[in-house]
Structures are given as structure tokens and as C-alpha cells.
Amino acid sequence: MILFELVPFEALRVIWWLLLGVLLIGFALTDGFDMGVGALLPFAGKTDTERRVIINTVGPVWEGNQVWFILGGGAIFAAWPPLYAVSFSGFYLAMFLILVALILRPVAFKYRSKREGERWRRNWDWALFIGGALPALLFGVAVGNVLLGVPFHLTPDLMPIYDGGLFGKLFGLLRPFALLCGVVSLAMLVMHGAGWLVLKTDGAVQARARDFGQKAALVVLVGYALAGLWLAFGISGYAFVTEPPHDGPSNPLLSEVTRSASWFAAYGERPWIAIAPVLGFVGTFMARRALVGGEVSPLLWSKLGIFGMISSVGLVMFPFILPSYLDPNSSLTVWDASSSHMTLFVMLVAGVIFLPIILAYTAWVYRVLWGKVTADAVEDPHSHSY
């Protein structure tokens, strides 16, 4: 028997759906607090020294945290090629803005302290704000559009055609529900960033981070609840009329899909998935309480809340990955949008080898860099701080 046949094709598809979720959640949990800290920078730091303290809480780790973003993009490209083709072309302008914002961040880190001028440093501080707030907002907008459905269809030879038009690839994404998801995403990462600042700073910066974090957590709780009600009663979901074979060829046109009453029908079919939104609410509520006092717990609770909220989207949509509202039959699902059996197996072997190494190295880095960043440390002329 050929080695890759030891793991069924159906199982590999589900495994890679789970791994994609792990990579995306890993990105939100790690680089998410970097973006949240950037969004808080102009407000939590009032003096140049305070802002340097804030910057240096994430300065040593942000590059490593972005590995999860790269891994997520690579996993989409290799494991789900149609998803990569449709999403990266359909969301092209939005992705371009995200990449520009993410590029601003390392440039701002490197150049901010090259000159002492107040205007110079203030401009780079706002660049760091854009580098944190804009991706956090647009990632949420993208998730909202995935739940609503995307305007694409597949030709008979499976070529994806995005019908949104050039400006539709940006402004067409700014639908009310998607914007609400963007606000929830931004507030969620601001809350997460506040939890990180509470852990890594003290004094006035920590106090301001607690204040902004509590407000952001309240926005998350209200926004997530509103999004759930909207999704339950105002947005149609998707369902199979004819389900494709789970180990069949990757051809979405072999199945028949229709619009359903609501995505929430998934809770009736799989009641256990309700644990995800419960974790989202509990984690966020407890993070808000912990931001009143305590240092480590706000970050841990916010991680739980983020895990629950992101998981709730994937679980309620399963097995759909990217639905099409123009042609539901072109919708991409776990069962008909993956790479080949052998490709998924080879990638799984590589993942089993290298993912633990990445996790071990990341844990070691955080252990070495554990501790608070102080004003004395960043002002020390012999330090290597930003």
C-alpha cells in the first residue's frame, strides 16, 4: 500500500481544515496583541518615554509572531488552492492595504528613534497605529464577507471569476454586517493588546491600558452579541442539496448548494459547537473583569475569548469555507476545494515535524524575554531598545 493511503483523503481534508483554523487562531493570539498595542500606542502613551516603553513591549517579538500569518497564507495556498485563488484575488485591494499597513510597522520601529524631533516621532507613532488598527479592522471585515458570501462563480473548467469589479474589491466589502465584524475584530485585538500591556508595563501606561481594555471588551461583548443576532435572524446561510463525496475529486460543481434560513441551523445539527461562542463570551467577560485588577489573567482570558469567537465562525460554517452568493453551486467546501490526497499527506508530515519546533522556539523566546519593560530600561544609552 502507498504510504499516503494510510490516512484517508476525507480525514486529511478535515485535519487541514482544523490546522488552518489553528494557524489563523495562532496568528490572532500572537500578532493580535502586537496589532492591539499599535492601535493603543497614541492613547496609552502620553510622553515619548511612555510610547517607547509601549513599543519595546512588542519590539522583540512581533517578527516571530508574524510567522503565523505567513504559515496561514502558505497553508491556504498549498492545501486549499481554489480558496487562495478566489480570496486573494477578490479581496485584492483589501489585502494590499493590509500588507501596506504591516510593512509600515517594521519601518516605523526602525526609523522612529533615528531622530529626536517631536513631529518626526509623532508621525511614526501614527504609522504604528495604522499598522495595528487597519489590519485588525480589515481582517474582521473579511470574516464578515465570508459569512455573507462572496460575489464569484466558477466556469465549467473551474476558473474562478470574481464579479465585484475593481472598486468592488474594496468598497463592495464594506457591507454593514461586515463593518460590524470589523469593529468587533478591532475591539477584540485592542482588548488583547491591553492585556499584554498590563502584563509588560506598570504605572500610568498600565493604568491607561486597563481603562481602554475594559472599554474595548465591552464593545466586543455588545458587538459579538449583535453580530450573532444578525446572523441568526437577518442573514441566510448555505446548505447542501446534493453533498459531494467526502473523498471525491476537488470539483465544487459536482455538488448542489442552496441558501438556507440561517447559519445557526448548524447548532441544531451539531449542538456541541455551542461551546465556541460560550467561550467567546466567557473569555471576554472575564478579561474585562481581570483588567480591573491582576496582571497575567487579562491576557489569558482574552486569549480564551479570541479562541472562542474565531472558532465559532469556522464551526458554524463547516463544511463551507467560502460561499458564493452569486452562484451557490460554486461555493467552496472542505470536501471539494482541497489539494490532492498526496499533497495533503506530504504537508501533514512536514507540519508534524516543523510545527512543534516553531512552538518550542516561540515558548523559549517568551521565556527569555519575560518581565516588564520600564522607563529606566528604554532610556539606558547602553540598551538596544527602540
Side-chain angles (χ1 to χ4, degrees), residues 12-38:
L12 283 172
R13 282 171 159 164
V14 174
I15 288 170
W16 272 104
W17 174 79
L18 289 170
L19 285 176
L20 178 59
V22 168
L23 294 175
L24 295 178
I25 291 172
F27 171 62
L29 295 182
T30 55
D31 206 35
F33 68 71
D34 295 340
M35 290 186 282
V37 167

Side-chain angles (χ1 to χ4, degrees), residues 9 13 79-80 82 158 248-254 334-340:
F9 196 12
R13 282 171 159 164
W80 310 99
L158 300 183
S250 291
N251 183 349
L253 299 181
L254 295 179
V334 171
W335 311 128
D336 54 26
S338 74
S339 290
S340 67

Side-chain angles (χ1 to χ4, degrees), residues 198-268:
V198 167
L199 178 65
K200 296 291 288 184
T201 65
D202 52 22
V205 171
Q206 186 188 72
R208 294 189 198 105
R210 289 187 187 278
D211 182 49
F212 283 110
Q214 292 174 55
K215 294 174 181 176
L218 184 59
V219 172
V220 175
L221 288 170
V222 175
Y224 187 52
L226 286 175
L229 292 172
W230 198 339
L231 200 62
F233 301 108
I235 295 174
S236 299
Y238 292 77
F240 283 117
V241 176
T242 304
E243 190 167 351
H246 296 181
D247 58 353
S250 291
N251 183 349
L253 299 181
L254 295 179
S255 60
E256 185 178 354
V257 176
T258 186
R259 301 297 297 266
S260 67
S262 169
W263 283 116
F264 274 42
Y267 290 111

Side-chain angles (χ1 to χ4, degrees), residues 5-144:
E5 293 181 348
L6 294 174
V7 184
F9 196 12
E10 175 184 356
L12 283 172
R13 282 171 159 164
V14 174
I15 288 170
W16 272 104
W17 174 79
L18 289 170
L19 285 176
L20 178 59
V22 168
L23 294 175
L24 295 178
I25 291 172
F27 171 62
L29 295 182
T30 55
D31 206 35
F33 68 71
D34 295 340
M35 290 186 282
V37 167
L40 283 169
L41 178 62
F43 313 105
K46 297 300 183 182
T47 67
D48 182 67
T49 298
E50 288 179 348
R51 293 183 180 183
R52 288 187 66 197
V53 168
I54 293 171
I55 290 169
N56 280 277
T57 64
V58 298
V61 297
W62 71 268
E63 288 179 288
N65 292 340
Q66 281 201 322
V67 167
W68 295 97
F69 182 59
I70 297 168
L71 287 174
I76 293 174
F77 173 77
W80 310 99
L83 174 62
Y84 183 90
V86 175
S87 60
F88 278 69
S89 61
F91 298 162
Y92 180 82
L93 292 179
M95 290 299 299
F96 179 80
L97 288 177
I98 288 172
L99 291 176
V100 169
L102 292 178
I103 290 170
L104 272 178
R105 184 166 57 177
V107 176
F109 279 140
K110 297 299 182 183
Y111 281 90
R112 182 190 185 278
S113 295
K114 296 294 185 182
R115 290 173 57 182
E116 302 244 347
E118 179 183 348
R119 182 177 179 182
W120 171 270
R121 294 190 172 187
R122 185 174 64 250
N123 288 340
W124 286 117
D125 288 339
W126 283 107
L128 285 170
F129 168 80
I130 293 171
L134 186 60
L137 176 70
L138 291 180
F139 282 132
V141 169
V143 171

Side-chain angles (χ1 to χ4, degrees), residues 185-208:
S185 173
L186 175 58
M188 178 179 73
L189 296 188
V190 167
M191 172 189 71
H192 198 38
W196 177 255
L197 289 178
V198 167
L199 178 65
K200 296 291 288 184
T201 65
D202 52 22
V205 171
Q206 186 188 72
R208 294 189 198 105

